[in-house]
Amino acid sequence: MKRFLLLCMSLVFVFGIMAGCSSKETAKDGESGGDSKSGDEVVTLNFFQFKVEIADQLQAMIKEFEAEHPNIKVKLETVGGGADYGAALKAKFASGEEPDIFNNGGFKELELWKEKLADLSGEPWVEHVLPIGKVPMTDADGKLYGMPVNLEGYGFVYNKDLFEKAGITEPPKTIDELKEAAKKLEAKKITPFSAGYGEWWVIGQHLLNIPFAQQEDPEAFIAGLYDGSEKIVGNKQFKEFKEVLDTELKYANDNPLTTDYNTQVTLFASGETAMLQQGNWTENMITEINPEINMGFLPIPISNDESAGNLPVGVPNNWVLNKNSEHLEEAKLFLDWMVSSETGKRYITEEFAFIPAFDNIEPAGLGDLGTSILDYSKEEKTIPWTWFKWPDGANKEFAAAIQEYAAGKIDYDTLLERFQSSWDNLK
């Protein structure tokens, strides 16, 4: 009898151990303790962005992030260049394919999208953002809704070797000097300008920013346009804008109205034109085509005033997070990794050729154009980017009017009236 009891007790003990082991294995597979996420679960972040210039480099950076974070995959989709990112983003949300990470320009665009955006005020990288980098995405309550992509500047990118060949010894800073440089280049059978008037943002945003930004007080002028105390028609800077518009069109490549972004940049990079109205975001594309090119920035002057020699510099865009994302914490982790890890910092400066908007990232490997932007910034020879404060959709209407003027369909007075009408109808 004792032997029988001992045998029963032994069997109970063995089955107990087996049951315990089985329970532990189940817990390992399904994650115990009420945690809904498995340690082996892989989540996918949908990253929808517009900077075509860094699409390949961004994909390479994502691979390194995924190697360090095997439970997170990042699916990158890029829509930009000649495509309308804003319309594509709206279509994404309308179809229910809401991205986890996307772009927002700030100011008016922040107001339009704010209800979709996660508050990022408490993120660890915020303390390192340069003051200029916080402005576009900070609301009236002081909450920050976006992480600045970088600092950028634009103007006329110029080929220093072609300028030297044409006998231009000093970079032009005023409209008269620009006209003279264009004449010298043409005399040497060099096409002065690579004009991409087929792209709405090149002319209706970047180029038209100049008369807005060269106002004595750009913010006050824009506020006046909204309340009716200021007008585009009759404004001094908008009258002067005709000079640079006519100069670029007169000395431009063939068919500027049908020239898209890629063609515009390629014409300059291949040495077929001496100047390109673009920004430092084109550096990678230009140097891929011509690694030996020697280039820098010129301002886009509309007059002979001292302010004509300043370069537009600002925050081009911001990374934002969808507050309704199922993987918001993973998306926050990705943003922080981009600007805090050594790998992320290296990509921002050396691979993207970005001017960082953070005090914990040393600018390095910027190239000719990034260095030129820094030089203008250090000398405080800059003017602001104002288009984020314009009425929604105004930039495209402005561009359409400029294209009509370039085609000879309307005169300049009518062009200014069209600008005013668009503003009044959309404000």
Side-chain angles (χ1 to χ4, degrees):
M1 185 66 179
K2 288 183 179 179
R3 288 182 181 180
F4 177 74
L5 288 173
L6 286 171
L7 178 61
C8 289
M9 290 175 65
S10 297
L11 287 172
V12 169
F13 180 70
V14 169
F15 281 122
I17 292 174
M18 290 175 65
C21 289
S22 176
S23 175
K24 287 178 182 178
E25 287 301 317
T26 302
K28 188 184 291 184
D29 291 339
E31 197 69 22
S32 64
D35 188 350
S36 63
K37 287 190 178 181
S38 166
D40 298 325
E41 180 186 350
V42 176
V43 303
T44 298
L45 299 175
N46 290 305
F47 188 178
F48 188 61
Q49 70 98 32
F50 79 99
K51 293 192 73 62
V52 295
E53 301 85 6
I54 63 163
D56 293 341
Q57 294 88 344
L58 192 55
Q59 187 62 65
M61 186 194 76
I62 286 170
K63 286 184 178 179
E64 298 215 34
F65 171 80
E66 291 174 339
E68 294 183 27
H69 304 83
N71 285 7
I72 305 174
K73 299 298 179 186
V74 182
K75 181 182 177 183
L76 178 67
E77 184 178 354
T78 299
V79 172
D84 189 338
Y85 176 80
L89 181 62
K90 289 177 182 177
K92 284 277 187 187
F93 274 83
S95 67
E97 298 178 6
E98 300 185 5
D100 302 289
I101 307 168
F102 55 103
N103 289 115
N104 186 284
F107 299 111
K108 285 289 180 182
E109 204 169 320
L110 168 60
E111 293 177 21
L112 287 172
W113 286 90
K114 187 176 174 181
E115 65 177 21
K116 299 288 187 180
L117 306 182
D119 179 3
L120 303 178
S121 305
E123 293 305 296
W125 47 262
V126 171
E127 64 177 316
H128 296 294
V129 180
L130 298 175
I132 189 176
K134 295 181 180 179
V135 175
M137 296 301 295
T138 301
D139 71 358
D141 296 325
K143 293 181 179 179
L144 184 68
Y145 287 89
M147 187 174 87
V149 173
N150 62 329
L151 296 180
E152 287 181 348
Y154 70 94
F156 286 129
V157 183
Y158 76 108
N159 186 317
K160 294 181 179 180
D161 294 333
L162 291 181
F163 267 51
E164 185 178 344
K165 183 178 178 180
I168 304 168
T169 56
E170 289 292 328
K173 297 177 181 177
T174 66
I175 189 63
D176 284 348
E177 290 174 359
L178 184 67
K179 291 178 182 178
E180 189 61 31
K183 290 176 184 176
K184 288 182 178 180
L185 288 162
E186 193 173 59
K188 290 292 184 179
K189 309 298 182 185
I190 301 169
T191 302
F193 293 101
S194 187
Y197 280 50
E199 302 286 8
W200 64 267
W201 54 275
V202 173
I203 52 176
Q205 193 159 279
H206 291 174
L207 186 57
L208 193 59
N209 175 62
I210 304 302
F212 281 96
Q214 288 195 2
Q215 300 291 324
E216 185 174 336
D217 186 339
E219 287 200 24
F221 176 71
I222 290 172
L225 288 177
Y226 277 110
D227 66 25
S229 62
E230 294 282 3
K231 296 291 182 184
I232 290 174
V233 175
N235 178 266
K236 174 179 177 288
Q237 285 79 3
F238 276 89
K239 286 181 180 178
E240 293 173 337
F241 179 63
K242 182 178 189 295
E243 294 299 312
V244 71
L245 197 56
D246 289 351
T247 300
E248 186 176 21
L249 287 167
K250 181 178 180 179
Y251 296 103
N253 52 284
D254 293 335
N255 306 312
L257 278 169
T258 57
T259 300
D260 63 11
Y261 173 73
N262 287 332
T263 304
Q264 182 198 16
V265 176
T266 301
L267 285 171
F268 174 79
S270 61
E272 294 183 50
T273 60
M275 287 180 278
L276 167 72
Q277 187 228 301
Q278 280 292 347
N280 62 297
W281 53 84
T282 60
E283 185 134 18
N284 284 339
M285 184 174 174
I286 292 170
T287 53
E288 281 177 11
I289 296 171
N290 185 358
E292 304 302 321
I293 194 168
N294 183 19
M295 57 185 174
F297 270 114
L298 302 172
I300 303 175
I302 58 175
S303 69
N304 293 315
D305 295 340
E306 184 178 340
S307 62
N310 294 341
L311 216 64
V313 176
V315 176
N317 225 282
N318 306 271
W319 305 124
V320 295
L321 302 183
N322 184 346
K323 74 176 184 181
N324 298 317
S325 168
E326 294 180 3
H327 310 300
L328 184 57
E329 293 309 310
E330 289 86 353
K332 287 181 177 181
L333 174 64
F334 177 73
L335 288 193
D336 185 52
W337 180 88
M338 276 206 294
V339 297
S340 63
S341 71
E342 292 306 312
T343 302
K345 292 177 184 179
R346 177 175 61 80
Y347 268 90
I348 287 173
T349 56
E350 297 179 19
E351 302 299 329
F352 300 169
F354 278 177
I355 302 171
F358 295 81
D359 63 17
N360 64 320
I361 304 177
E362 281 294 320
L366 296 179
D368 290 345
L369 300 186
T371 301
S372 189
I373 295 295
L374 273 182
D375 290 342
Y376 273 92
S377 299
K378 288 176 181 177
E379 294 171 13
E380 297 185 352
K381 293 183 177 180
T382 63
I383 51 177
W385 293 10
T386 66
W387 58 83
F388 293 118
K389 300 180 181 180
W390 302 350
D392 187 36
N395 44 17
K396 291 183 183 178
E397 290 199 10
F398 292 156
I402 292 172
Q403 288 168 337
E404 286 193 54
Y405 175 75
K409 294 181 178 179
I410 58 175
D411 61 20
Y412 194 73
D413 287 340
T414 303
L415 177 63
L416 295 185
E417 290 170 2
R418 291 278 296 276
F419 289 161
Q420 185 68 57
S421 177
S422 291
W423 189 285
D424 292 340
N425 291 336
L426 294 170
K427 69 181 181 181

